[in-house]
């Protein structure tokens, strides 16, 4: 039996960290490798294990990736704002805009990839394909959190996926799943997010007719 208090704390306080990333403290490659060693224990469809992990810590390459991210982020984040948004949503958007502005300064970026390209968009194929990399990414983020590092699952650079592929010399038959900025965090006082009762969003046996 695991220590449930510690396990639940890890699972409920692993947040998307943006503003509290320490941009001045280097991240050791061995720490990232330790977290990837944990990540690759995640399950994959057909036990294929076709994941690949590209760690970017070269300043020039980070700057180029940050530029790709901002080119999409500036358009997307501005268009997302509406007058009826909650304070929480506005805070998240402010945080996302902050990340776009400093992404090139984050000590390391990790691009989780999976060999293959999704040609068939049928739900079963898409679920199997991305289900063979995203669980590993979440394990990677949990491993980072347990070591005092923060991260955030981002995808905006994929609007310029071909340019990122050329920049990073990624083969044409490999799919980038995300861009995960990695840094030590400023402080460790992360709390669970406020969520509504799970009874309101959980159905048994049949979909609720009036949602």
């Amino acid at each position: 039996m695991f220590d449930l208090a510690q396990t639940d704390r890890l699972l409920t306080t692993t947040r998307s960290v943006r503003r509290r990333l320490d941009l001045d403290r280097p991240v050791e490659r061995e720490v990232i490798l330790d977290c990837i060693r944990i990540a690759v224990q995640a399950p994959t469809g057909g036990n294929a294990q076709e994941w690949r992990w590209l760690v970017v810590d070269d300043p020039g390459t980070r700057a180029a990736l940050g530029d790709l991210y901002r080119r999409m982020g500036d358009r997307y984040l501005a268009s997302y704002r509406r007058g009826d948004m909650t304070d929480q949503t506005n805070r998240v958007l402010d945080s996302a805009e902050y990340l776009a502005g400093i992404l090139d300064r984050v000590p390391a970026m990790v691009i989780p990839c999976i060999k293959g390209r999704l040609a068939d968009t049928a739900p079963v194929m898409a679920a199997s394909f991305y289900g063979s990399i995203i669980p590993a990414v979440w394990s990677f983020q949990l491993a980072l959190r347990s070591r005092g590092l923060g991260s955030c699952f981002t995808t905006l650079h994929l609007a310029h996926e071909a340019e990122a592929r050329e920049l990073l010399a990624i083969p044409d038959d490999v799919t980038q799943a995300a861009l995960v900025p990695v840094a030590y965090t400023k402080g460790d006082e992360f709390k669970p997010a406020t969520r509504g009762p799970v009874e309101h969003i959980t159905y048994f046996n049949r979909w609720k007719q009036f949602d």
Side-chain angles (χ1 to χ4, degrees), residues 6-211:
Q6 280 294 87
T7 303
D8 290 353
R9 178 172 175 263
L10 174 64
L11 292 170
T12 58
T13 64
T14 301
R15 311 246 56 84
S16 293
V17 184
R18 304 179 185 94
R19 290 187 179 277
R20 293 175 60 182
L21 297 173
D22 190 335
L23 305 178
D24 299 317
R25 181 178 175 183
V27 174
E28 305 85 351
R29 289 185 174 183
E30 190 56 41
V31 172
I32 294 177
L33 289 172
D34 282 344
C35 294
I36 293 174
R37 289 185 184 101
I38 292 172
V40 297
Q41 295 297 319
T44 58
N47 197 33
Q49 302 177 24
E50 297 284 16
W51 40 44
R52 298 293 184 270
W53 304 81
L54 204 163
V55 181
V56 180
D57 55 10
D58 170 70
T61 309
R62 294 197 329 253
L65 279 173
D67 181 62
L68 293 180
Y69 187 93
R70 276 188 295 275
R71 280 162 53 191
M72 181 57 185
D74 290 347
R75 299 195 306 271
Y76 173 76
L77 296 173
S79 68
Y80 196 89
R81 289 191 182 274
R82 304 183 308 274
D84 60 347
M85 292 191 309
T86 65
D87 290 342
Q88 173 63 21
T89 302
N90 274 311
R91 286 194 294 271
V92 170
L93 285 175
D94 289 344
S95 178
E97 289 173 348
Y98 170 82
L99 178 65
I102 57 90
L103 186 60
D104 59 307
R105 297 173 54 202
V106 174
M109 303 175 187
V110 175
I111 312 288
C113 300
I114 183 168
K115 292 183 69 176
R117 305 289 289 185
L118 186 61
D120 188 340
T121 57
V124 64
M125 298 303 296
S128 177
F129 186 76
Y130 284 105
S132 294
I133 183 63
I134 291 176
V137 179
W138 181 232
S139 291
F140 175 70
Q141 292 183 267
L142 290 170
L144 289 170
R145 161 73 173 140
S146 70
R147 288 160 173 76
L149 292 95
S151 65
C152 182
F153 188 102
T154 78
T155 57
L156 288 179
H157 88 288
L158 294 175
H160 306 288
E161 187 259 0
E163 292 179 63
R165 185 180 348 119
E166 182 177 0
L167 172 69
L168 301 170
I170 297 173
D172 292 344
D173 63 345
V174 170
T175 298
Q176 304 167 59
L179 185 158
V180 181
V182 174
Y184 284 96
T185 58
K186 297 177 180 177
D188 190 49
E189 304 80 21
F190 295 97
K191 299 178 181 179
T194 301
R195 302 285 191 247
V198 297
E199 291 81 2
H200 293 179
I201 57 171
T202 306
Y203 315 139
F204 292 93
N205 300 317
R206 295 288 187 276
W207 191 271
K208 184 179 178 181
Q209 295 304 305
F210 303 100
D211 201 342

